[in-house]
Amino acid sequence: MDSKKLTLSSGAPYYEHQDSQTVGPRGPVLLQDFILQENLAHFVRERIPERIVHAKGSGAYGTFTVTHDISNYTKAKLFSKVGNSCRMFARFSTVGGEKGSADTARDPRGFALKFYTEDGNWDLVGNNTPVFFIKDAKKFPDFIHTQKRVPKTNLKSATMMWDFWSLNPESLHQVLILMSDRGTPHGYRHMHGFGSHTFSMINDKNERVWVKFHFKTKQGIKNFTDSEAVKMAGENPDFAQEDLCNAIENGDFPKWTMYIQVMTEDQARDFRWNPFDVTKVWFHEDFPMIEVGEMELNEVPVNYFAHVEQSTFSPSNLINGISFSPDKMLQGRLFSYPDAHRYRVGVNSHQLEVNRCPFAVNNYQRDGFMADSSQYQDKPNYHPNSFDDIKADISYKNYEYELDSAHVASYNRNENDDDHYTQPGLLYSKAMSPEDRQNLVNNIVGSMRAINGPKKDEIINRQLCHFFRANIELGMKVASQLNVIIDPNMMNHSK
């Protein structure tokens, strides 16, 4: 059968569908990569008005308090001294399900936080997992399509899920987490949260370090087994929402301890893996957890739609002293998240109560749908001008830095960075208990048994190869329960 050329919506053929154009293999993504922009911009406009991902969610207001000094790492005013605190808003969610789906489904959980600080709103938009399925945002629309519904039947499909995962071994780390009992947390209060991406902190000496954010639940980890999660989905599809609201209304305020891991620029250059790869973790023994503060949720919003449904989060909402990194997934999200909100809620969604900075907002943005002029009234809408008193403060000037390369290309995201198996193997052999490992195997097998169609054996065997390469025992157990006869060549590849 003759193949068809991959094209843009204009019909122009192109080749680079999976790797974003960057400055050097670890450099930032370029705005001129119009293929990335077209794919992301089209993707976030595929549904209205429901969120494309994270549609089923719960939210609450609370307080964040700094308990330990990290001012040597960041000049952010929030972290300038122990005891500082700010109001905050948190939204938890499943990823793939629609708004009316069960919130106990096997899925990663969104863990989105908005800190209302005197230097503006800071959004930390992460998950309950420290890693993700893919490492380049160019692949995100394709990945999410596999988690949604088949265009013809409008049904979920294990076949397209495992087909995509088997063709993208970088997903293995997150797949093992998803298929473990961590994929079905017992509500939102009993799970950890992670910024997932690598971010940066800059101190008052203009020194930069790389950081990862962790939020450890003080309620203790608690998960459903697969059968318990399925049962609860039928009995109460709003279990997590009810659990969160009831706890807060009863005064049992859920809390999380915030930690950071810190990596210097020299350590980043010598790190075994790309430190900006969101499919990898930093080992705690190499980069210890540093305690920072405590988050407490203590207020159920008075109106779900106004506060939870209309809440918007973006990793581009950063504050002075906290910045981004060359993480390709993060760089894509800096564009796609605010673009999604401008489309879904409106260009003035930042003026809504839940999204509004409670401190000063002074700029020259005007008009658009649902514009509220109470902030700017008749002030000039251009800069510079002779009439207002808005001045740019040089102390907030961006951190300046040199790049490692000036060579522009769509670098293969896996070239010299294709170890997709060491960390998943350690997750299975070191981090999981025997019970965790058995539940993982059972969950994988239960899901993979639903693969069907003419490519069934090809998909199963391809995914088994990934399991073997991570851990032979894992591969053997899954293969055995799927009644797959092991090819000796598969065993050779697993060494």
Side-chain angles (χ1 to χ4, degrees):
M1 185 174 62
D2 293 336
S3 61
K4 296 179 180 179
K5 293 180 180 178
L6 179 66
T7 73
L8 295 169
S9 58
S10 64
Y14 71 99
Y15 175 75
E16 298 293 354
H17 185 71
Q18 300 202 47
D19 297 297
S20 296
Q21 196 175 72
T22 59
V23 183
R26 295 188 179 182
V29 175
L30 296 181
L31 187 63
Q32 70 187 32
D33 190 340
F34 58 91
I35 299 170
L36 168 69
Q37 300 228 11
E38 176 175 299
N39 284 339
L40 291 179
H42 184 278
F43 173 71
V44 299
R45 289 165 172 80
E46 288 184 358
R47 306 282 191 278
I48 57 171
E50 184 176 284
R51 284 172 166 88
I52 304 299
V53 288
H54 299 276
K56 179 67 177 274
S58 305
Y61 286 99
T63 304
F64 176 77
T65 303
V66 177
T67 58
H68 292 73
D69 183 13
I70 59 166
S71 59
N72 57 316
Y73 297 123
T74 177
K75 58 186 173 183
K77 290 181 181 178
L78 175 62
F79 301 111
S80 61
K81 66 177 181 179
V82 172
N84 279 0
S85 66
C86 69
R87 194 168 188 243
M88 61 170 300
F89 181 77
R91 185 177 186 272
F92 309 115
S93 55
T94 54
V95 177
E98 296 86 2
K99 192 173 185 297
S101 60
D103 57 20
T104 56
R106 182 169 301 283
D107 210 355
R109 299 300 190 270
F111 198 100
L113 309 177
K114 186 182 296 290
F115 302 83
Y116 304 101
T117 88
E118 61 182 300
D119 260 353
N121 291 350
W122 170 38
D123 290 356
L124 189 61
V125 194
N127 287 319
N128 69 325
T129 60
V131 294
F132 196 60
F133 296 92
I134 52 176
K135 60 173 77 173
D136 192 314
K138 220 173 206 180
K139 301 175 67 62
F140 190 70
D142 295 300
F143 163 63
I144 292 298
H145 284 162
T146 72
Q147 308 300 298
K148 292 291 188 175
R149 295 179 180 272
V150 176
K152 179 180 179 180
T153 63
N154 198 41
L155 297 172
K156 295 290 186 76
S157 169
T159 303
M160 67 178 182
M161 271 197 324
W162 287 102
D163 186 37
F164 182 88
W165 289 337
S166 69
L167 289 166
N168 290 273
E170 68 200 67
S171 67
L172 184 60
H173 200 170
Q174 177 76 320
V175 167
L176 293 190
I177 295 175
L178 174 64
M179 288 295 156
S180 74
D181 287 345
R182 290 172 64 181
T184 50
H186 192 277
Y188 299 126
R189 296 182 300 126
H190 295 281
M191 66 183 192
H192 295 330
F194 303 88
S196 299
H197 298 290
T198 299
F199 293 87
S200 58
M201 282 186 167
I202 297 133
N203 64 16
D204 55 8
K205 299 183 180 66
N206 214 34
E207 299 166 331
R208 181 176 65 178
V209 293
W210 306 113
V211 298
K212 284 187 178 288
F213 293 98
H214 302 252
F215 288 80
K216 299 189 72 171
T217 176
K218 299 189 81 167
Q219 289 68 242
I221 289 290
K222 189 176 181 182
N223 298 314
F224 285 118
T225 63
D226 186 67
S227 59
E228 290 170 342
V230 171
K231 185 172 182 288
M232 184 57 72
E235 294 178 351
N236 183 2
D238 301 314
F239 169 82
Q241 166 79 5
E242 184 176 342
D243 178 72
L244 180 66
C245 289
N246 286 347
I248 295 174
E249 296 283 67
N250 294 332
D252 183 16
F253 301 142
K255 298 177 182 179
W256 287 260
T257 303
M258 175 180 165
Y259 298 85
I260 58 172
Q261 287 178 287
V262 175
M263 180 186 291
T264 67
E265 299 203 30
D266 287 340
Q267 288 173 319
R269 279 187 284 270
D270 296 332
F271 192 50
R272 176 177 176 182
W273 296 283
N274 177 356
F276 313 117
D277 178 353
V278 74
T279 68
K280 306 291 192 302
V281 297
W282 301 354
F283 296 140
H284 291 181
E285 56 265 33
D286 298 325
F287 304 95
M289 301 274 273
I290 300 170
E291 189 168 346
V292 178
E294 182 179 90
M295 149 183 154
E296 176 188 273
L297 299 182
N298 49 35
E299 178 186 343
V300 177
V302 294
N303 182 285
Y304 178 91
F305 180 83
H307 295 262
V308 183
E309 190 65 17
Q310 292 194 122
S311 62
T312 64
F313 299 84
S314 173
S316 60
N317 289 340
L318 296 162
I319 56 175
N320 192 39
I322 301 175
S323 192
F324 46 80
S325 79
D327 179 334
K328 293 180 183 180
M329 270 298 294
L330 173 59
Q331 296 251 325
R333 293 176 78 204
L334 296 176
F335 161 77
S336 65
Y337 272 60
D339 184 54
H341 303 321
R342 285 188 288 266
Y343 168 69
R344 188 181 68 86
V345 187
V347 71
N348 287 304
S349 61
H350 60 282
Q351 296 179 3
L352 296 171
E353 181 181 359
V354 65
N355 304 318
R356 186 170 59 237
C357 175
F359 302 93
V361 176
N362 302 301
N363 59 36
Y364 301 92
Q365 297 171 4
R366 298 290 188 273
D367 306 337
F369 288 108
M370 305 296 288
D372 179 359
S373 68
S374 60
Q375 292 292 317
Y376 50 81
Q377 298 181 340
D378 64 345
K379 294 178 182 178
N381 63 352
Y382 63 94
H383 176 82
N385 67 76
S386 304
F387 305 101
D388 68 24
D389 57 356
I390 300 174
K391 304 293 181 185
D393 187 338
I394 196 171
S395 66
Y396 290 88
K397 186 177 180 180
N398 282 339
Y399 176 79
E400 297 179 3
Y401 57 98
E402 298 291 334
L403 297 173
D404 294 335
S405 171
H407 184 73
V408 173
S410 290
Y411 291 89
N412 183 331
R413 68 195 180 284
N414 290 320
E415 187 173 353
N416 301 318
D417 191 25
D418 61 353
D419 179 5
H420 309 305
Y421 305 108
T422 299
Q423 290 199 3
L426 291 171
L427 173 67
Y428 179 82
S429 63
K430 301 294 185 184
M432 291 185 176
S433 68
E435 181 183 3
D436 293 333
R437 290 194 286 269
Q438 188 57 55
N439 288 348
L440 170 67
V441 170
N442 293 341
N443 295 338
I444 289 172
V445 170
S447 180
M448 292 186 72
R449 278 180 177 153
I451 300 172
N452 55 35
K455 299 287 186 178
K456 174 182 176 179
D457 291 342
E458 179 182 332
I459 294 169
I460 289 176
N461 286 326
R462 191 164 54 222
Q463 185 63 42
L464 283 174
C465 285
H466 301 320
F467 291 144
F468 273 112
R469 288 172 178 145
N471 184 278
I472 292 176
E473 177 190 284
L474 171 62
M476 289 292 291
K477 286 186 174 181
V478 174
S480 174
Q481 292 194 36
L482 289 174
N483 297 318
V484 174
I485 298 174
I486 305 304
D487 184 339
N489 293 326
M490 189 185 299
M491 296 294 291
N492 292 334
H493 282 303
S494 67
K495 292 180 179 178

